[in-house]
């Protein structure tokens, strides 16, 4: 698939968010909206972003009983967002209900496996003897086998996931930095080119674009590095 950039629009006000999007000229970007904007502004921020011509990635990481997730996914379909995240940890039935709710719409469902903020003792906390990497692989494989469209994973996992999971899926990779010396709070980073080489399909990039004086130039540079 064509490689895409998802701009993580991690800002607090809708004005700031829309000013950034008006400044950006590239309508090829996917716009990732998380808790901060969605809880403050709900439907209106999604509609405003769509009006500007961008696809929307709603990053709500759903995790609840299957029926509740079914209703949440239905609402996302009505909102006409393009991507929605949910936790693979919610289990097979929850994921199946999400797929049922998505129906024949264009919504792509993306599974989160183990959050990168968890440490090596997390599987034990869950009662598993697997390593974090193997548990993440198990969840990713389960989600893709069920029919989930993509998996959010780090640049360090993506190569192994693409090798091990035989069905094709969208690999969504955050932790992208234009050069390796500026990591902010990200621990497992890769350049756009390296992440794509390892199998990333959608690069989730926030601060390297948001904090740039010339955002269009940075987007252009990233795209050029992917060619
Ligand atoms: O600013 P930065 O490029 O680090 O933003 C990365 C985005 O990806 C943020 O919205 C963050 O929440 C998200 N993310 C991440 N690491 C994960 C999953 C999601 O950084 N493991």
């Amino acid at each position: 698939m064509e490689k895409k950039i998802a701009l993580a629009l991690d800002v607090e006000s809708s004005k700031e968010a829309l000013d950034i999007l008006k400044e950006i000229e590239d309508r090829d970007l996917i716009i990732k909206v998380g808790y901060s904007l969605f809880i403050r502004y709900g439907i209106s921020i999604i509609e405003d972003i769509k009006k500007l011509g961008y696809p929307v990635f709603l990053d709500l990481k759903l995790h609840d009983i299957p029926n509740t997730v079914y209703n949440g996914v239905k609402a996302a379909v009505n909102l006409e967002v393009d991507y929605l995240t949910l936790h693979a940890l919610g289990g097979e039935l929850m994921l199946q209900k999400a797929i049922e709710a998505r129906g024949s719409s264009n919504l792509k469902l993306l599974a989160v496996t183990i959050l990168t903020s968890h440490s090596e003792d997390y599987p034990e906390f869950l009662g598993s003897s697997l390593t974090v990497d193997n548990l993440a692989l198990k969840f990713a494989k389960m989600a893709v086998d069920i029919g989930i469209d993509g998996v959010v994973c780090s640049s360090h996992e993506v190569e192994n996931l693409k090798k091990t999971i035989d069905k094709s899926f969208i690999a969504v990779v955050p932790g992208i930095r234009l050069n390796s010396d500026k990591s902010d709070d990200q621990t497992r980073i890769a350049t756009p080119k390296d992440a794509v080489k390892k199998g990333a399909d959608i690069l989730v990039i926030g601060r390297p674009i948001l904090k740039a004086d010339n955002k269009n130039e940075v987007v252009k540079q990233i795209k050029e590095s992917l060619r």
Side-chain angles (χ1 to χ4, degrees):
M1 79 176 261
E2 192 200 344
K3 308 298 171 189
K4 293 259 179 198
I5 299 167
L7 172 63
L9 200 53
D10 296 328
V11 295
E12 290 196 352
S13 80
S14 61
K15 180 175 181 328
E16 201 183 339
L18 296 175
D19 282 350
I20 289 170
L21 296 187
K22 280 174 193 151
E23 186 185 333
I24 288 175
E25 291 150 4
D26 191 335
R27 293 296 186 266
D28 233 19
L29 296 184
I30 300 164
I31 306 303
K32 183 170 92 70
V33 173
Y35 294 156
S36 180
L37 281 180
F38 193 70
I39 291 176
R40 280 190 179 87
Y41 304 101
I43 298 176
S44 73
I45 188 75
I46 304 295
E47 286 178 346
D48 287 344
I49 295 171
K50 288 195 73 78
K51 259 185 236 151
L52 290 174
Y54 292 102
V56 174
F57 174 154
L58 188 55
D59 190 11
L60 296 184
K61 300 187 179 69
L62 303 185
H63 185 177
D64 209 313
I65 60 169
N67 186 57
T68 301
V69 167
Y70 178 91
N71 291 333
V73 175
K74 276 265 177 214
V77 169
N78 287 339
L79 204 50
E80 295 183 5
V81 296
D82 301 86
Y83 300 86
L84 177 70
T85 48
L86 66 178
H87 274 279
L89 250 172
E92 293 190 14
L93 195 55
M94 189 199 87
L95 298 176
Q96 275 158 2
K97 288 300 272 185
I99 291 168
E100 197 185 318
R102 179 264 306 275
S104 59
S105 72
N106 291 326
L107 175 68
K108 299 268 185 268
L109 297 169
L110 306 173
V112 173
T113 58
I114 305 285
L115 295 173
T116 43
S117 50
H118 288 304
S119 48
E120 275 300 329
D121 51 14
Y122 187 63
E124 193 191 337
F125 166 77
L126 293 177
S128 167
S129 55
L130 295 178
T131 60
V132 167
D133 284 354
N134 284 337
L135 193 58
L137 175 61
K138 178 182 163 181
F139 285 144
K141 195 169 172 343
M142 182 257 300
V144 173
D145 281 346
I146 285 175
I148 293 293
D149 304 285
V151 174
V152 182
C153 57
S154 79
S155 56
H156 293 240
E157 295 168 288
V158 64
E159 202 166 12
N160 190 31
L161 293 192
K162 283 271 164 133
K163 247 191 258 158
T164 318
I165 301 175
D166 35 18
K167 239 168 125 179
S168 87
F169 68 95
I170 307 167
V172 180
V173 175
I176 303 294
R177 290 297 175 268
L178 305 194
N179 52 47
S180 45
D181 46 271
K182 178 96 179 58
S183 65
D184 298 309
D185 59 351
Q186 294 283 10
T187 49
R188 300 201 267 176
I189 59 167
T191 63
K193 196 173 181 169
D194 283 344
V196 164
K197 248 194 227 157
K198 287 178 175 162
D201 300 298
I202 297 181
L203 304 173
V204 177
I205 310 180
R207 286 162 287 182
I209 297 174
L210 296 178
K211 289 191 173 168
D213 291 332
N214 188 339
K215 299 175 184 43
N216 286 310
E217 189 51 42
V218 173
V219 171
K220 215 169 106 196
Q221 267 176 29
I222 297 170
K223 283 189 141 180
E224 266 162 20
S225 81
L226 298 184
R227 260 181 223 131

PDB file of all heavy atoms in Angstrom, residues 10 22 40 59 68 86 99-100 113 127 143 179 185 187 216-217:
ATOM      1  N   ASP A  10      -1.813  16.592  18.524  1.00  0.00           N
ATOM      2  CA  ASP A  10      -1.842  16.628  19.984  1.00  0.00           C
ATOM      3  C   ASP A  10      -1.739  18.065  20.490  1.00  0.00           C
ATOM      4  O   ASP A  10      -0.696  18.492  20.994  1.00  0.00           O
ATOM      5  CB  ASP A  10      -0.708  15.761  20.558  1.00  0.00           C
ATOM      6  CG  ASP A  10      -0.882  14.294  20.201  1.00  0.00           C
ATOM      7  OD1 ASP A  10      -2.043  13.844  20.096  1.00  0.00           O
ATOM      8  OD2 ASP A  10       0.123  13.596  20.013  1.00  0.00           O
ATOM      9  N   LYS A  22      -4.827  24.611   8.585  1.00  0.00           N
ATOM     10  CA  LYS A  22      -4.959  25.582   7.488  1.00  0.00           C
ATOM     11  C   LYS A  22      -3.581  25.933   6.934  1.00  0.00           C
ATOM     12  O   LYS A  22      -3.428  26.210   5.751  1.00  0.00           O
ATOM     13  CB  LYS A  22      -5.700  26.825   7.974  1.00  0.00           C
ATOM     14  CG  LYS A  22      -7.210  26.568   8.010  1.00  0.00           C
ATOM     15  CD  LYS A  22      -7.985  27.713   8.631  1.00  0.00           C
ATOM     16  CE  LYS A  22      -9.402  27.262   8.935  1.00  0.00           C
ATOM     17  NZ  LYS A  22      -9.969  27.990  10.079  1.00  0.00           N
ATOM     18  N   ARG A  40     -12.803  17.401  24.470  1.00  0.00           N
ATOM     19  CA  ARG A  40     -13.195  18.813  24.546  1.00  0.00           C
ATOM     20  C   ARG A  40     -14.245  19.195  23.502  1.00  0.00           C
ATOM     21  O   ARG A  40     -15.182  19.921  23.779  1.00  0.00           O
ATOM     22  CB  ARG A  40     -11.980  19.721  24.345  1.00  0.00           C
ATOM     23  CG  ARG A  40     -11.144  19.877  25.571  1.00  0.00           C
ATOM     24  CD  ARG A  40     -10.103  20.982  25.350  1.00  0.00           C
ATOM     25  NE  ARG A  40      -9.317  21.148  26.563  1.00  0.00           N
ATOM     26  CZ  ARG A  40      -8.237  20.431  26.840  1.00  0.00           C
ATOM     27  NH1 ARG A  40      -7.807  19.514  26.010  1.00  0.00           N
ATOM     28  NH2 ARG A  40      -7.589  20.621  27.969  1.00  0.00           N
ATOM     29  N   ASP A  59      -8.289   8.311  17.595  1.00  0.00           N
ATOM     30  CA  ASP A  59      -7.454   7.449  18.449  1.00  0.00           C
ATOM     31  C   ASP A  59      -8.049   7.374  19.853  1.00  0.00           C
ATOM     32  O   ASP A  59      -7.599   8.047  20.772  1.00  0.00           O
ATOM     33  CB  ASP A  59      -6.023   8.022  18.477  1.00  0.00           C
ATOM     34  CG  ASP A  59      -5.044   7.065  19.127  1.00  0.00           C
ATOM     35  OD1 ASP A  59      -5.407   5.901  19.371  1.00  0.00           O
ATOM     36  OD2 ASP A  59      -3.905   7.494  19.403  1.00  0.00           O
ATOM     37  N   THR A  68     -20.838  -2.745  24.032  1.00  0.00           N
ATOM     38  CA  THR A  68     -20.536  -1.310  24.168  1.00  0.00           C
ATOM     39  C   THR A  68     -19.567  -0.868  23.069  1.00  0.00           C
ATOM     40  O   THR A  68     -19.721   0.213  22.479  1.00  0.00           O
ATOM     41  CB  THR A  68     -19.955  -1.035  25.575  1.00  0.00           C
ATOM     42  OG1 THR A  68     -20.935  -1.462  26.522  1.00  0.00           O
ATOM     43  CG2 THR A  68     -19.643   0.424  25.800  1.00  0.00           C
ATOM     44  N   LEU A  86      -8.572   0.393  18.767  1.00  0.00           N
ATOM     45  CA  LEU A  86      -9.158  -0.335  19.889  1.00  0.00           C
ATOM     46  C   LEU A  86      -8.120  -1.301  20.441  1.00  0.00           C
ATOM     47  O   LEU A  86      -7.160  -1.654  19.752  1.00  0.00           O
ATOM     48  CB  LEU A  86     -10.463  -1.021  19.492  1.00  0.00           C
ATOM     49  CG  LEU A  86     -10.503  -2.156  18.494  1.00  0.00           C
ATOM     50  CD1 LEU A  86     -11.947  -2.652  18.360  1.00  0.00           C
ATOM     51  CD2 LEU A  86     -10.032  -1.735  17.126  1.00  0.00           C
ATOM     52  N   ILE A  99     -15.810  -5.470  14.266  1.00  0.00           N
ATOM     53  CA  ILE A  99     -15.818  -5.728  12.816  1.00  0.00           C
ATOM     54  C   ILE A  99     -17.260  -5.773  12.297  1.00  0.00           C
ATOM     55  O   ILE A  99     -17.575  -5.226  11.236  1.00  0.00           O
ATOM     56  CB  ILE A  99     -15.055  -7.033  12.500  1.00  0.00           C
ATOM     57  CG1 ILE A  99     -13.562  -6.827  12.776  1.00  0.00           C
ATOM     58  CG2 ILE A  99     -15.283  -7.477  11.060  1.00  0.00           C
ATOM     59  CD1 ILE A  99     -12.743  -8.094  12.793  1.00  0.00           C
ATOM     60  N   GLU A 100     -18.130  -6.397  13.094  1.00  0.00           N
ATOM     61  CA  GLU A 100     -19.556  -6.461  12.720  1.00  0.00           C
ATOM     62  C   GLU A 100     -20.138  -5.037  12.633  1.00  0.00           C
ATOM     63  O   GLU A 100     -20.865  -4.708  11.694  1.00  0.00           O
ATOM     64  CB  GLU A 100     -20.272  -7.261  13.803  1.00  0.00           C
ATOM     65  CG  GLU A 100     -21.638  -7.773  13.426  1.00  0.00           C
ATOM     66  CD  GLU A 100     -22.284  -8.454  14.646  1.00  0.00           C
ATOM     67  OE1 GLU A 100     -21.593  -9.205  15.372  1.00  0.00           O
ATOM     68  OE2 GLU A 100     -23.475  -8.184  14.883  1.00  0.00           O
ATOM     69  N   THR A 113      -1.686  -3.233  20.738  1.00  0.00           N
ATOM     70  CA  THR A 113      -1.343  -4.490  21.429  1.00  0.00           C
ATOM     71  C   THR A 113      -0.946  -4.188  22.878  1.00  0.00           C
ATOM     72  O   THR A 113      -1.823  -4.073  23.730  1.00  0.00           O
ATOM     73  CB  THR A 113      -0.252  -5.257  20.668  1.00  0.00           C
ATOM     74  OG1 THR A 113       0.901  -4.442  20.538  1.00  0.00           O
ATOM     75  CG2 THR A 113      -0.753  -5.696  19.300  1.00  0.00           C
ATOM     76  N   GLY A 127      -0.808 -12.190  34.130  1.00  0.00           N
ATOM     77  CA  GLY A 127      -0.849 -13.638  34.353  1.00  0.00           C
ATOM     78  C   GLY A 127      -0.257 -14.423  33.205  1.00  0.00           C
ATOM     79  O   GLY A 127      -0.556 -15.612  33.030  1.00  0.00           O
ATOM     80  N   ALA A 143      -5.617 -10.371  16.388  1.00  0.00           N
ATOM     81  CA  ALA A 143      -6.449  -9.296  15.830  1.00  0.00           C
ATOM     82  C   ALA A 143      -6.527  -9.388  14.302  1.00  0.00           C
ATOM     83  O   ALA A 143      -7.611  -9.300  13.712  1.00  0.00           O
ATOM     84  CB  ALA A 143      -5.894  -7.937  16.258  1.00  0.00           C
ATOM     85  N   ASN A 179      15.686  12.867  12.780  1.00  0.00           N
ATOM     86  CA  ASN A 179      17.038  12.368  13.029  1.00  0.00           C
ATOM     87  C   ASN A 179      17.075  11.819  14.448  1.00  0.00           C
ATOM     88  O   ASN A 179      16.276  12.211  15.292  1.00  0.00           O
ATOM     89  CB  ASN A 179      18.097  13.454  12.798  1.00  0.00           C
ATOM     90  CG  ASN A 179      17.778  14.707  13.559  1.00  0.00           C
ATOM     91  OD1 ASN A 179      17.449  14.642  14.735  1.00  0.00           O
ATOM     92  ND2 ASN A 179      17.865  15.854  12.912  1.00  0.00           N
ATOM     93  N   ASP A 185      10.058  12.366  24.490  1.00  0.00           N
ATOM     94  CA  ASP A 185       9.907  11.300  25.491  1.00  0.00           C
ATOM     95  C   ASP A 185       9.771   9.928  24.847  1.00  0.00           C
ATOM     96  O   ASP A 185       9.420   8.961  25.508  1.00  0.00           O
ATOM     97  CB  ASP A 185       8.691  11.598  26.385  1.00  0.00           C
ATOM     98  CG  ASP A 185       7.404  11.713  25.570  1.00  0.00           C
ATOM     99  OD1 ASP A 185       7.487  11.739  24.321  1.00  0.00           O
ATOM    100  OD2 ASP A 185       6.329  11.768  26.179  1.00  0.00           O
ATOM    101  N   THR A 187      10.978   6.416  23.437  1.00  0.00           N
ATOM    102  CA  THR A 187      12.161   5.598  23.719  1.00  0.00           C
ATOM    103  C   THR A 187      12.573   4.756  22.508  1.00  0.00           C
ATOM    104  O   THR A 187      13.741   4.484  22.318  1.00  0.00           O
ATOM    105  CB  THR A 187      11.903   4.658  24.914  1.00  0.00           C
ATOM    106  OG1 THR A 187      10.666   3.997  24.699  1.00  0.00           O
ATOM    107  CG2 THR A 187      11.864   5.440  26.217  1.00  0.00           C
ATOM    108  N   ASN A 216       5.228  22.765   6.366  1.00  0.00           N
ATOM    109  CA  ASN A 216       5.139  22.221   5.010  1.00  0.00           C
ATOM    110  C   ASN A 216       6.474  21.676   4.522  1.00  0.00           C
ATOM    111  O   ASN A 216       6.537  20.667   3.835  1.00  0.00           O
ATOM    112  CB  ASN A 216       4.618  23.295   4.052  1.00  0.00           C
ATOM    113  CG  ASN A 216       3.132  23.517   4.273  1.00  0.00           C
ATOM    114  OD1 ASN A 216       2.353  22.559   4.306  1.00  0.00           O
ATOM    115  ND2 ASN A 216       2.737  24.762   4.452  1.00  0.00           N
ATOM    116  N   GLU A 217       7.549  22.377   4.932  1.00  0.00           N
ATOM    117  CA  GLU A 217       8.878  21.940   4.529  1.00  0.00           C
ATOM    118  C   GLU A 217       9.202  20.576   5.159  1.00  0.00           C
ATOM    119  O   GLU A 217       9.737  19.679   4.508  1.00  0.00           O
ATOM    120  CB  GLU A 217       9.895  23.017   4.970  1.00  0.00           C
ATOM    121  CG  GLU A 217      11.296  22.844   4.452  1.00  0.00           C
ATOM    122  CD  GLU A 217      11.377  22.636   2.937  1.00  0.00           C
ATOM    123  OE1 GLU A 217      10.655  23.323   2.201  1.00  0.00           O
ATOM    124  OE2 GLU A 217      12.167  21.754   2.523  1.00  0.00           O
TER     125      GLU A 217
END
